[in-house]
Short mmCIF file of all heavy atoms in Angstrom, two decimals:
data_model
loop_
_atom_site.label_atom_id
_atom_site.label_comp_id
_atom_site.label_asym_id
_atom_site.label_seq_id
_atom_site.Cartn_x
_atom_site.Cartn_y
_atom_site.Cartn_z
N MET H 1 -7.61 -15.62 -16.21
CA MET H 1 -7.64 -16.50 -15.02
C MET H 1 -7.11 -15.75 -13.79
O MET H 1 -6.18 -15.01 -13.93
CB MET H 1 -6.80 -17.74 -15.31
CG MET H 1 -6.92 -18.79 -14.20
SD MET H 1 -5.90 -20.25 -14.64
CE MET H 1 -4.67 -20.14 -13.34
N ASN H 2 -7.69 -15.92 -12.65
CA ASN H 2 -7.30 -15.28 -11.51
C ASN H 2 -6.26 -16.15 -10.77
O ASN H 2 -6.61 -17.20 -10.31
CB ASN H 2 -8.45 -14.99 -10.57
CG ASN H 2 -8.07 -14.15 -9.42
OD1 ASN H 2 -6.91 -14.12 -9.03
ND2 ASN H 2 -9.07 -13.43 -8.87
N THR H 3 -5.01 -15.76 -10.84
CA THR H 3 -3.98 -16.61 -10.27
C THR H 3 -3.78 -16.46 -8.80
O THR H 3 -3.02 -17.15 -8.12
CB THR H 3 -2.61 -16.33 -10.96
OG1 THR H 3 -2.31 -14.91 -10.69
CG2 THR H 3 -2.70 -16.54 -12.45
N GLY H 4 -4.36 -15.36 -8.26
CA GLY H 4 -4.10 -15.05 -6.84
C GLY H 4 -2.83 -14.32 -6.57
O GLY H 4 -2.45 -14.21 -5.43
N ALA H 5 -2.14 -13.94 -7.61
CA ALA H 5 -0.84 -13.37 -7.53
C ALA H 5 -0.80 -11.87 -7.20
O ALA H 5 0.14 -11.32 -6.71
CB ALA H 5 0.04 -13.67 -8.72
N ASP H 6 -1.90 -11.24 -7.53
CA ASP H 6 -1.89 -9.76 -7.46
C ASP H 6 -2.43 -9.28 -6.16
O ASP H 6 -3.33 -9.80 -5.56
CB ASP H 6 -2.74 -9.17 -8.53
CG ASP H 6 -1.99 -9.23 -9.90
OD1 ASP H 6 -0.76 -9.48 -9.92
OD2 ASP H 6 -2.63 -9.04 -10.94
N TRP H 7 -1.87 -8.13 -5.74
CA TRP H 7 -2.38 -7.43 -4.57
C TRP H 7 -3.05 -6.10 -5.07
O TRP H 7 -2.59 -5.62 -6.17
CB TRP H 7 -1.27 -7.02 -3.64
CG TRP H 7 -0.76 -8.12 -2.77
CD1 TRP H 7 -1.28 -9.39 -2.63
CD2 TRP H 7 0.38 -8.12 -1.97
NE1 TRP H 7 -0.55 -10.15 -1.79
CE2 TRP H 7 0.50 -9.34 -1.35
CE3 TRP H 7 1.37 -7.12 -1.70
CZ2 TRP H 7 1.51 -9.68 -0.44
CZ3 TRP H 7 2.34 -7.43 -0.80
CH2 TRP H 7 2.47 -8.67 -0.18
N THR H 8 -3.98 -5.62 -4.35
CA THR H 8 -4.55 -4.33 -4.63
C THR H 8 -4.21 -3.46 -3.41
O THR H 8 -4.27 -3.88 -2.27
CB THR H 8 -6.08 -4.42 -4.74
OG1 THR H 8 -6.43 -5.30 -5.72
CG2 THR H 8 -6.71 -3.06 -5.05
N ILE H 9 -3.66 -2.23 -3.73
CA ILE H 9 -3.23 -1.36 -2.57
C ILE H 9 -3.99 -0.03 -2.67
O ILE H 9 -4.33 0.45 -3.78
CB ILE H 9 -1.74 -1.12 -2.66
CG1 ILE H 9 -1.30 -0.58 -3.99
CG2 ILE H 9 -0.92 -2.36 -2.30
CD1 ILE H 9 0.16 -0.11 -4.00
N GLU H 10 -4.32 0.50 -1.52
CA GLU H 10 -4.87 1.86 -1.53
C GLU H 10 -4.46 2.53 -0.21
O GLU H 10 -4.03 1.84 0.75
CB GLU H 10 -6.37 1.80 -1.63
CG GLU H 10 -7.14 1.02 -0.61
CD GLU H 10 -8.63 0.87 -0.89
OE1 GLU H 10 -8.99 0.02 -1.70
OE2 GLU H 10 -9.37 1.62 -0.27
N VAL H 11 -4.57 3.83 -0.22
CA VAL H 11 -4.16 4.66 0.93
C VAL H 11 -5.37 5.45 1.29
O VAL H 11 -6.03 6.07 0.50
CB VAL H 11 -3.03 5.59 0.63
CG1 VAL H 11 -2.74 6.53 1.81
CG2 VAL H 11 -1.77 4.81 0.30
N ASP H 12 -5.71 5.43 2.66
CA ASP H 12 -6.77 6.29 3.18
C ASP H 12 -6.13 7.67 3.38
O ASP H 12 -5.53 7.95 4.38
CB ASP H 12 -7.33 5.73 4.50
CG ASP H 12 -8.52 6.64 4.96
OD1 ASP H 12 -8.68 7.79 4.40
OD2 ASP H 12 -9.20 6.23 5.88
N ARG H 13 -6.28 8.50 2.32
CA ARG H 13 -5.59 9.82 2.33
C ARG H 13 -6.14 10.77 3.40
O ARG H 13 -5.47 11.74 3.77
CB ARG H 13 -5.65 10.42 0.93
CG ARG H 13 -4.79 9.69 -0.02
CD ARG H 13 -4.97 10.14 -1.44
NE ARG H 13 -4.92 11.60 -1.68
CZ ARG H 13 -3.77 12.27 -1.93
NH1 ARG H 13 -2.61 11.56 -1.94
NH2 ARG H 13 -3.81 13.54 -2.17
N SER H 14 -7.30 10.49 3.87
CA SER H 14 -7.94 11.41 4.87
C SER H 14 -7.19 11.27 6.17
O SER H 14 -7.23 12.19 7.09
CB SER H 14 -9.40 11.09 5.08
OG SER H 14 -9.62 9.83 5.65
N VAL H 15 -6.48 10.11 6.41
CA VAL H 15 -5.80 9.84 7.68
C VAL H 15 -4.29 9.92 7.52
O VAL H 15 -3.55 10.17 8.47
CB VAL H 15 -6.26 8.51 8.32
CG1 VAL H 15 -5.65 8.37 9.66
CG2 VAL H 15 -7.76 8.43 8.35
N CYS H 16 -3.83 9.74 6.32
CA CYS H 16 -2.33 9.77 6.05
C CYS H 16 -1.75 11.06 6.60
O CYS H 16 -2.28 12.20 6.43
CB CYS H 16 -2.13 9.72 4.51
SG CYS H 16 -0.40 10.10 4.01
N ILE H 17 -0.62 10.92 7.31
CA ILE H 17 0.06 12.07 7.90
C ILE H 17 1.22 12.57 7.03
O ILE H 17 1.95 13.51 7.44
CB ILE H 17 0.53 11.81 9.31
CG1 ILE H 17 1.51 10.64 9.42
CG2 ILE H 17 -0.68 11.61 10.24
CD1 ILE H 17 2.21 10.47 10.75
N GLY H 18 1.43 11.94 5.88
CA GLY H 18 2.36 12.41 4.92
C GLY H 18 3.84 12.32 5.33
O GLY H 18 4.69 13.19 4.94
N ASN H 19 4.21 11.34 6.13
CA ASN H 19 5.61 11.27 6.56
C ASN H 19 6.47 10.52 5.51
O ASN H 19 7.65 10.39 5.70
CB ASN H 19 5.71 10.53 7.93
CG ASN H 19 5.49 9.10 7.80
OD1 ASN H 19 4.90 8.54 6.84
ND2 ASN H 19 5.88 8.32 8.88
N LYS H 20 5.91 10.15 4.42
CA LYS H 20 6.63 9.57 3.26
C LYS H 20 7.32 8.27 3.47
O LYS H 20 8.15 7.90 2.67
CB LYS H 20 7.68 10.61 2.75
CG LYS H 20 7.10 11.98 2.40
CD LYS H 20 8.16 12.88 1.84
CE LYS H 20 7.62 14.30 1.65
NZ LYS H 20 8.64 15.25 1.40
N MET H 21 6.99 7.58 4.60
CA MET H 21 7.65 6.33 4.83
C MET H 21 7.36 5.30 3.70
O MET H 21 8.27 4.60 3.17
CB MET H 21 7.15 5.70 6.14
CG MET H 21 7.83 6.19 7.36
SD MET H 21 9.59 5.97 7.39
CE MET H 21 9.69 4.20 7.45
N CYS H 22 6.11 5.22 3.28
CA CYS H 22 5.75 4.27 2.30
C CYS H 22 6.46 4.54 0.92
O CYS H 22 6.90 3.65 0.25
CB CYS H 22 4.25 4.19 2.03
SG CYS H 22 3.50 5.79 1.66
N VAL H 23 6.58 5.83 0.61
CA VAL H 23 7.20 6.26 -0.61
C VAL H 23 8.69 5.89 -0.60
O VAL H 23 9.29 5.42 -1.63
CB VAL H 23 6.97 7.73 -0.86
CG1 VAL H 23 7.72 8.21 -2.10
CG2 VAL H 23 5.49 8.04 -0.99
N SER H 24 9.33 6.12 0.54
CA SER H 24 10.77 5.80 0.60
C SER H 24 11.02 4.28 0.61
O SER H 24 11.97 3.81 0.08
CB SER H 24 11.44 6.48 1.79
OG SER H 24 10.89 5.95 3.00
N VAL H 25 10.07 3.51 1.17
CA VAL H 25 10.26 2.09 1.22
C VAL H 25 9.90 1.39 -0.14
O VAL H 25 10.50 0.45 -0.53
CB VAL H 25 9.46 1.49 2.40
CG1 VAL H 25 9.44 -0.02 2.39
CG2 VAL H 25 10.00 1.94 3.70
N ALA H 26 8.81 1.90 -0.68
CA ALA H 26 8.32 1.25 -1.90
C ALA H 26 7.89 2.30 -2.95
O ALA H 26 6.75 2.53 -3.27
CB ALA H 26 7.04 0.39 -1.59
N PRO H 27 8.95 2.98 -3.53
CA PRO H 27 8.69 4.12 -4.46
C PRO H 27 7.98 3.59 -5.74
O PRO H 27 7.37 4.44 -6.44
CB PRO H 27 10.07 4.62 -4.78
CG PRO H 27 11.03 3.54 -4.39
CD PRO H 27 10.36 2.80 -3.31
N ASP H 28 8.09 2.35 -6.07
CA ASP H 28 7.32 1.90 -7.25
C ASP H 28 5.85 1.81 -7.03
O ASP H 28 5.06 1.83 -8.00
CB ASP H 28 7.87 0.46 -7.62
CG ASP H 28 9.28 0.46 -8.14
OD1 ASP H 28 9.75 1.56 -8.47
OD2 ASP H 28 9.90 -0.69 -8.20
N ALA H 29 5.47 1.72 -5.78
CA ALA H 29 4.06 1.47 -5.46
C ALA H 29 3.34 2.69 -4.99
O ALA H 29 2.12 2.81 -5.12
CB ALA H 29 3.92 0.35 -4.43
N PHE H 30 4.10 3.62 -4.32
CA PHE H 30 3.47 4.75 -3.64
C PHE H 30 4.14 6.06 -4.17
O PHE H 30 5.32 6.11 -4.46
CB PHE H 30 3.57 4.68 -2.13
CG PHE H 30 2.83 3.46 -1.58
CD1 PHE H 30 3.59 2.33 -1.32
CD2 PHE H 30 1.51 3.44 -1.41
CE1 PHE H 30 2.97 1.20 -0.81
CE2 PHE H 30 0.88 2.33 -0.87
CZ PHE H 30 1.60 1.17 -0.57
N GLU H 31 3.40 7.14 -4.14
CA GLU H 31 3.96 8.44 -4.50
C GLU H 31 3.24 9.50 -3.66
O GLU H 31 2.14 9.25 -3.12
CB GLU H 31 3.72 8.76 -6.00
CG GLU H 31 2.29 8.85 -6.40
CD GLU H 31 2.09 8.97 -7.90
OE1 GLU H 31 3.08 9.03 -8.62
OE2 GLU H 31 0.95 9.03 -8.33
N MET H 32 3.85 10.65 -3.57
CA MET H 32 3.23 11.75 -2.80
C MET H 32 2.38 12.60 -3.76
O MET H 32 2.84 12.87 -4.90
CB MET H 32 4.33 12.61 -2.09
CG MET H 32 5.18 11.82 -1.04
SD MET H 32 4.16 11.01 0.24
CE MET H 32 3.57 12.46 1.12
N ALA H 33 1.36 13.12 -3.27
CA ALA H 33 0.53 14.08 -4.02
C ALA H 33 -0.11 15.03 -3.04
O ALA H 33 -0.80 14.60 -2.10
CB ALA H 33 -0.49 13.36 -4.85
N GLU H 34 0.16 16.29 -3.17
CA GLU H 34 -0.40 17.31 -2.25
C GLU H 34 -0.19 16.97 -0.78
O GLU H 34 -1.08 17.03 0.01
CB GLU H 34 -1.91 17.48 -2.59
CG GLU H 34 -2.08 18.13 -3.94
CD GLU H 34 -3.57 17.90 -4.46
OE1 GLU H 34 -4.36 17.41 -3.67
OE2 GLU H 34 -3.81 18.26 -5.63
N GLY H 35 1.02 16.45 -0.49
CA GLY H 35 1.42 16.25 0.89
C GLY H 35 0.95 14.95 1.51
O GLY H 35 1.25 14.66 2.62
N LYS H 36 0.27 14.12 0.70
CA LYS H 36 -0.14 12.83 1.21
C LYS H 36 0.17 11.74 0.18
O LYS H 36 0.40 12.00 -1.03
CB LYS H 36 -1.65 12.85 1.48
CG LYS H 36 -2.00 13.85 2.52
CD LYS H 36 -3.44 13.63 3.09
CE LYS H 36 -3.65 14.63 4.20
NZ LYS H 36 -4.80 14.24 5.03
N ALA H 37 0.24 10.54 0.70
CA ALA H 37 0.68 9.42 -0.19
C ALA H 37 -0.60 8.89 -0.97
O ALA H 37 -1.71 9.02 -0.54
CB ALA H 37 1.26 8.29 0.58
N ARG H 38 -0.33 8.30 -2.16
CA ARG H 38 -1.35 7.57 -2.83
C ARG H 38 -0.65 6.44 -3.59
O ARG H 38 0.53 6.41 -3.86
CB ARG H 38 -2.06 8.52 -3.81
CG ARG H 38 -1.23 8.95 -4.96
CD ARG H 38 -2.02 9.85 -5.90
NE ARG H 38 -1.17 10.36 -6.95
CZ ARG H 38 -1.47 11.45 -7.71
NH1 ARG H 38 -2.54 12.15 -7.46
NH2 ARG H 38 -0.67 11.79 -8.67
N ALA H 39 -1.45 5.45 -3.94
CA ALA H 39 -0.94 4.34 -4.69
C ALA H 39 -0.66 4.76 -6.13
O ALA H 39 -1.49 5.49 -6.72
CB ALA H 39 -1.88 3.17 -4.69
N ARG H 40 0.50 4.42 -6.63
CA ARG H 40 0.78 4.76 -8.04
C ARG H 40 -0.09 4.01 -9.00
O ARG H 40 -0.52 4.51 -10.03
CB ARG H 40 2.26 4.36 -8.35
CG ARG H 40 3.26 5.30 -7.94
CD ARG H 40 4.66 4.87 -8.44
NE ARG H 40 5.71 5.76 -7.95
CZ ARG H 40 6.04 6.86 -8.59
NH1 ARG H 40 5.41 7.19 -9.71
NH2 ARG H 40 6.94 7.63 -8.13
N THR H 41 -0.41 2.79 -8.58
CA THR H 41 -1.23 1.91 -9.42
C THR H 41 -2.01 1.04 -8.42
O THR H 41 -1.47 0.66 -7.42
CB THR H 41 -0.36 1.07 -10.35
OG1 THR H 41 -1.11 0.03 -10.93
CG2 THR H 41 0.82 0.40 -9.60
N GLU H 42 -3.21 0.68 -8.78
CA GLU H 42 -4.04 -0.06 -7.84
C GLU H 42 -3.47 -1.50 -7.65
O GLU H 42 -3.50 -2.01 -6.58
CB GLU H 42 -5.49 -0.09 -8.33
CG GLU H 42 -6.43 -0.42 -7.21
CD GLU H 42 -7.85 -0.45 -7.80
OE1 GLU H 42 -8.05 -0.18 -8.95
OE2 GLU H 42 -8.74 -0.91 -7.00
N ASN H 43 -3.10 -2.12 -8.76
CA ASN H 43 -2.68 -3.53 -8.68
C ASN H 43 -1.11 -3.63 -8.69
O ASN H 43 -0.47 -3.00 -9.56
CB ASN H 43 -3.25 -4.32 -9.84
CG ASN H 43 -4.70 -4.45 -9.79
OD1 ASN H 43 -5.42 -3.66 -10.34
ND2 ASN H 43 -5.15 -5.40 -9.00
N VAL H 44 -0.57 -4.37 -7.76
CA VAL H 44 0.85 -4.55 -7.73
C VAL H 44 1.15 -6.07 -7.49
O VAL H 44 0.25 -6.81 -7.04
CB VAL H 44 1.46 -3.79 -6.52
CG1 VAL H 44 1.36 -2.27 -6.70
CG2 VAL H 44 0.94 -4.21 -5.20
N SER H 45 2.31 -6.45 -7.90
CA SER H 45 2.74 -7.80 -7.61
C SER H 45 3.16 -7.88 -6.16
O SER H 45 3.71 -6.88 -5.59
CB SER H 45 3.96 -8.19 -8.48
OG SER H 45 3.62 -8.14 -9.84
N PRO H 46 2.81 -8.93 -5.48
CA PRO H 46 3.23 -9.11 -4.11
C PRO H 46 4.72 -8.90 -3.95
O PRO H 46 5.51 -9.46 -4.76
CB PRO H 46 2.76 -10.54 -3.74
CG PRO H 46 1.65 -10.79 -4.66
CD PRO H 46 2.02 -10.09 -5.95
N SER H 47 5.18 -8.08 -3.05
CA SER H 47 6.57 -7.81 -2.88
C SER H 47 6.89 -7.44 -1.43
O SER H 47 5.99 -7.02 -0.72
CB SER H 47 6.99 -6.67 -3.77
OG SER H 47 6.51 -5.44 -3.31
N GLU H 48 8.17 -7.73 -1.11
CA GLU H 48 8.56 -7.35 0.25
C GLU H 48 8.49 -5.84 0.51
O GLU H 48 8.22 -5.43 1.59
CB GLU H 48 10.04 -7.87 0.37
CG GLU H 48 10.30 -8.33 1.83
CD GLU H 48 11.53 -9.23 1.83
OE1 GLU H 48 11.47 -10.35 1.37
OE2 GLU H 48 12.56 -8.75 2.40
N SER H 49 8.81 -5.08 -0.57
CA SER H 49 8.83 -3.61 -0.35
C SER H 49 7.39 -3.11 -0.03
O SER H 49 7.24 -2.23 0.81
CB SER H 49 9.41 -2.93 -1.58
OG SER H 49 8.62 -3.14 -2.73
N VAL H 50 6.38 -3.67 -0.69
CA VAL H 50 5.03 -3.27 -0.35
C VAL H 50 4.67 -3.70 1.00
O VAL H 50 4.03 -2.99 1.77
CB VAL H 50 4.01 -3.79 -1.42
CG1 VAL H 50 2.58 -3.50 -1.01
CG2 VAL H 50 4.27 -3.12 -2.79
N ALA H 51 5.06 -4.93 1.39
CA ALA H 51 4.79 -5.41 2.72
C ALA H 51 5.51 -4.54 3.78
O ALA H 51 4.90 -4.19 4.79
CB ALA H 51 5.26 -6.88 2.86
N ASP H 52 6.73 -4.13 3.45
CA ASP H 52 7.53 -3.23 4.40
C ASP H 52 6.79 -1.87 4.50
O ASP H 52 6.72 -1.32 5.59
CB ASP H 52 8.92 -3.01 3.91
CG ASP H 52 9.77 -4.24 4.06
OD1 ASP H 52 9.33 -5.15 4.79
OD2 ASP H 52 10.89 -4.27 3.55
N ALA H 53 6.29 -1.39 3.37
CA ALA H 53 5.57 -0.06 3.45
C ALA H 53 4.34 -0.22 4.30
O ALA H 53 4.02 0.66 5.10
CB ALA H 53 5.19 0.33 2.01
N TYR H 54 3.63 -1.33 4.07
CA TYR H 54 2.41 -1.58 4.89
C TYR H 54 2.75 -1.56 6.37
O TYR H 54 2.03 -0.92 7.17
CB TYR H 54 1.82 -2.93 4.46
CG TYR H 54 0.72 -3.43 5.36
CD1 TYR H 54 -0.61 -3.07 5.14
CD2 TYR H 54 0.95 -4.28 6.47
CE1 TYR H 54 -1.62 -3.49 5.97
CE2 TYR H 54 -0.02 -4.70 7.31
CZ TYR H 54 -1.34 -4.32 7.04
OH TYR H 54 -2.33 -4.72 7.88
N GLU H 55 3.85 -2.22 6.74
CA GLU H 55 4.19 -2.29 8.11
C GLU H 55 4.82 -0.98 8.64
O GLU H 55 4.76 -0.74 9.86
CB GLU H 55 5.21 -3.45 8.33
CG GLU H 55 4.60 -4.77 8.12
CD GLU H 55 5.53 -5.91 8.62
OE1 GLU H 55 6.74 -5.75 8.48
OE2 GLU H 55 4.99 -6.93 9.09
N SER H 56 5.30 -0.18 7.80
CA SER H 56 6.02 0.99 8.24
C SER H 56 5.10 2.21 8.44
O SER H 56 5.49 3.20 9.06
CB SER H 56 7.10 1.42 7.29
OG SER H 56 6.56 1.88 6.07
N CYS H 57 3.88 2.11 7.93
CA CYS H 57 2.95 3.26 8.00
C CYS H 57 2.56 3.46 9.49
O CYS H 57 1.91 2.61 10.09
CB CYS H 57 1.74 3.02 7.14
SG CYS H 57 0.58 4.39 7.31
N PRO H 58 2.88 4.63 10.06
CA PRO H 58 2.68 4.83 11.55
C PRO H 58 1.13 4.92 11.86
O PRO H 58 0.73 4.77 13.00
CB PRO H 58 3.39 6.12 11.81
CG PRO H 58 3.43 6.80 10.50
CD PRO H 58 3.53 5.79 9.50
N VAL H 59 0.33 5.24 10.89
CA VAL H 59 -1.08 5.33 11.13
C VAL H 59 -1.90 4.28 10.44
O VAL H 59 -3.20 4.34 10.46
CB VAL H 59 -1.64 6.80 10.79
CG1 VAL H 59 -1.18 7.79 11.81
CG2 VAL H 59 -1.23 7.15 9.37
N SER H 60 -1.26 3.28 9.93
CA SER H 60 -1.91 2.10 9.36
C SER H 60 -3.02 2.45 8.39
O SER H 60 -4.14 1.91 8.51
CB SER H 60 -2.41 1.20 10.50
OG SER H 60 -1.44 0.84 11.39
N VAL H 61 -2.75 3.26 7.44
CA VAL H 61 -3.72 3.63 6.44
C VAL H 61 -3.56 3.03 5.08
O VAL H 61 -4.27 3.32 4.18
CB VAL H 61 -3.90 5.17 6.27
CG1 VAL H 61 -4.39 5.76 7.58
CG2 VAL H 61 -2.55 5.78 5.87
N ILE H 62 -2.55 2.14 5.01
CA ILE H 62 -2.36 1.38 3.78
C ILE H 62 -3.16 0.08 3.83
O ILE H 62 -3.07 -0.67 4.75
CB ILE H 62 -0.88 1.07 3.55
CG1 ILE H 62 -0.07 2.34 3.40
CG2 ILE H 62 -0.68 0.21 2.31
CD1 ILE H 62 1.44 2.15 3.34
N VAL H 63 -4.04 -0.08 2.84
CA VAL H 63 -4.92 -1.23 2.78
C VAL H 63 -4.40 -2.12 1.63
O VAL H 63 -4.17 -1.67 0.54
CB VAL H 63 -6.33 -0.86 2.55
CG1 VAL H 63 -7.20 -2.12 2.40
CG2 VAL H 63 -6.88 0.02 3.69
N VAL H 64 -4.13 -3.39 1.94
CA VAL H 64 -3.64 -4.29 0.95
C VAL H 64 -4.69 -5.51 0.84
O VAL H 64 -5.11 -6.01 1.93
CB VAL H 64 -2.30 -4.91 1.34
CG1 VAL H 64 -1.82 -5.90 0.25
CG2 VAL H 64 -1.26 -3.84 1.45
N ARG H 65 -5.12 -5.79 -0.36
CA ARG H 65 -6.05 -6.88 -0.50
C ARG H 65 -5.44 -7.90 -1.49
O ARG H 65 -4.72 -7.50 -2.40
CB ARG H 65 -7.37 -6.38 -1.12
CG ARG H 65 -8.21 -5.45 -0.19
CD ARG H 65 -9.55 -5.21 -0.71
NE ARG H 65 -10.39 -4.55 0.29
CZ ARG H 65 -10.43 -3.21 0.46
NH1 ARG H 65 -9.69 -2.43 -0.29
NH2 ARG H 65 -11.19 -2.73 1.41
N ASP H 66 -5.79 -9.17 -1.24
CA ASP H 66 -5.29 -10.18 -2.16
C ASP H 66 -6.21 -10.21 -3.36
O ASP H 66 -7.17 -9.42 -3.52
CB ASP H 66 -5.15 -11.51 -1.49
CG ASP H 66 -6.48 -12.10 -1.06
OD1 ASP H 66 -7.52 -11.68 -1.47
OD2 ASP H 66 -6.44 -13.07 -0.21
N ALA H 67 -5.96 -11.16 -4.26
CA ALA H 67 -6.73 -11.20 -5.52
C ALA H 67 -8.18 -11.48 -5.35
O ALA H 67 -9.03 -11.23 -6.22
CB ALA H 67 -6.09 -12.21 -6.45
N THR H 68 -8.58 -11.97 -4.18
CA THR H 68 -9.93 -12.32 -3.93
C THR H 68 -10.66 -11.05 -3.34
O THR H 68 -11.89 -11.11 -3.19
CB THR H 68 -10.14 -13.46 -2.91
OG1 THR H 68 -9.66 -13.04 -1.62
CG2 THR H 68 -9.32 -14.71 -3.35
N GLY H 69 -9.93 -10.02 -3.07
CA GLY H 69 -10.45 -8.78 -2.51
C GLY H 69 -10.47 -8.80 -0.97
O GLY H 69 -10.93 -7.84 -0.36
N GLU H 70 -9.90 -9.88 -0.45
CA GLU H 70 -9.84 -9.92 1.00
C GLU H 70 -8.67 -9.11 1.54
O GLU H 70 -7.60 -9.17 1.05
CB GLU H 70 -9.72 -11.36 1.48
CG GLU H 70 -9.78 -11.59 2.97
CD GLU H 70 -9.80 -13.08 3.33
OE1 GLU H 70 -10.13 -13.93 2.51
OE2 GLU H 70 -9.54 -13.36 4.53
N GLU H 71 -8.91 -8.34 2.63
CA GLU H 71 -7.87 -7.54 3.20
C GLU H 71 -6.85 -8.47 3.91
O GLU H 71 -7.28 -9.39 4.67
CB GLU H 71 -8.49 -6.61 4.23
CG GLU H 71 -7.83 -5.26 4.30
CD GLU H 71 -8.57 -4.25 5.11
OE1 GLU H 71 -9.78 -4.06 4.93
OE2 GLU H 71 -7.97 -3.73 6.07
N ILE H 72 -5.58 -8.18 3.66
CA ILE H 72 -4.55 -9.07 4.26
C ILE H 72 -3.55 -8.18 4.99
O ILE H 72 -3.55 -6.94 4.91
CB ILE H 72 -3.76 -9.87 3.22
CG1 ILE H 72 -3.12 -8.93 2.09
CG2 ILE H 72 -4.76 -10.84 2.53
CD1 ILE H 72 -2.17 -9.61 1.19
N GLU H 73 -2.71 -8.81 5.81
CA GLU H 73 -1.64 -8.11 6.54
C GLU H 73 -0.34 -8.64 6.07
O GLU H 73 0.26 -9.58 6.65
CB GLU H 73 -1.85 -8.34 8.03
CG GLU H 73 -3.16 -7.78 8.57
CD GLU H 73 -3.21 -7.90 10.07
OE1 GLU H 73 -2.31 -8.44 10.67
OE2 GLU H 73 -4.36 -7.54 10.57
N PRO H 74 0.15 -8.10 4.96
CA PRO H 74 1.40 -8.68 4.36
C PRO H 74 2.54 -8.50 5.36
O PRO H 74 2.64 -7.51 6.07
CB PRO H 74 1.68 -7.81 3.17
CG PRO H 74 0.88 -6.55 3.32
CD PRO H 74 -0.31 -7.01 4.18
N GLY H 75 3.35 -9.53 5.46
CA GLY H 75 4.51 -9.51 6.39
C GLY H 75 4.17 -10.20 7.76
O GLY H 75 5.09 -10.55 8.43
N ASN H 76 2.99 -10.38 7.97
CA ASN H 76 2.53 -11.02 9.27
C ASN H 76 2.30 -12.52 9.02
O ASN H 76 1.96 -12.95 7.96
CB ASN H 76 1.21 -10.44 9.81
CG ASN H 76 1.49 -9.06 10.41
OD1 ASN H 76 2.65 -8.70 10.51
ND2 ASN H 76 0.46 -8.37 10.65
S1 SF4 Z 101 3.57 5.73 5.51
FE1 SF4 Z 101 1.36 6.04 5.91
S2 SF4 Z 101 1.26 8.06 6.85
FE2 SF4 Z 101 3.19 7.89 5.86
S3 SF4 Z 101 2.96 8.81 3.86
FE3 SF4 Z 101 2.63 6.60 3.63
S4 SF4 Z 101 0.47 6.26 3.90
FE4 SF4 Z 101 0.88 8.33 4.64
#
């Protein structure tokens, strides 16, 4: 059953500037690889740390989708 509880996260690595903000704010969700961030896992539970990472990215390359696949702006 789709409960609507999960988020999907991804990083557009072609635009990521590698300042590690998302990794320091949400280390469970993001990690660095070859100087750029990537999602550790595609599906995460909605959390304040992921929302903070989303908001802290200076180039807005973190994409968060809700369980329906719709892009959302967590924290807003
Ligand atoms: S905060 Fe944004 S620019 Fe910085 S490492 Fe994470 S995805 Fe890349």
Side-chain angles (χ1 to χ4, degrees):
M1 189 178 111
N2 190 336
T3 61
D6 285 346
W7 284 350
T8 304
I9 54 173
E10 58 187 81
V11 174
D12 182 349
R13 290 169 53 84
S14 67
V15 186
C16 170
I17 59 171
N19 74 344
K20 304 182 187 170
M21 278 302 294
C22 56
V23 175
S24 64
V25 170
D28 291 345
F30 300 96
E31 63 187 357
M32 298 303 291
E34 293 163 6
K36 298 195 176 197
R38 68 182 177 198
R40 278 184 182 277
T41 168
E42 201 183 351
N43 292 96
V44 297
S45 299
S47 71
E48 214 161 289
S49 62
V50 172
D52 286 348
Y54 171 86
E55 291 193 326
S56 69
C57 179
V59 286
S60 303
V61 293
I62 296 174
V63 177
V64 181
R65 292 190 170 87
D66 66 14
T68 69
E70 186 172 343
E71 216 170 304
I72 59 170
E73 297 182 4
N76 288 348

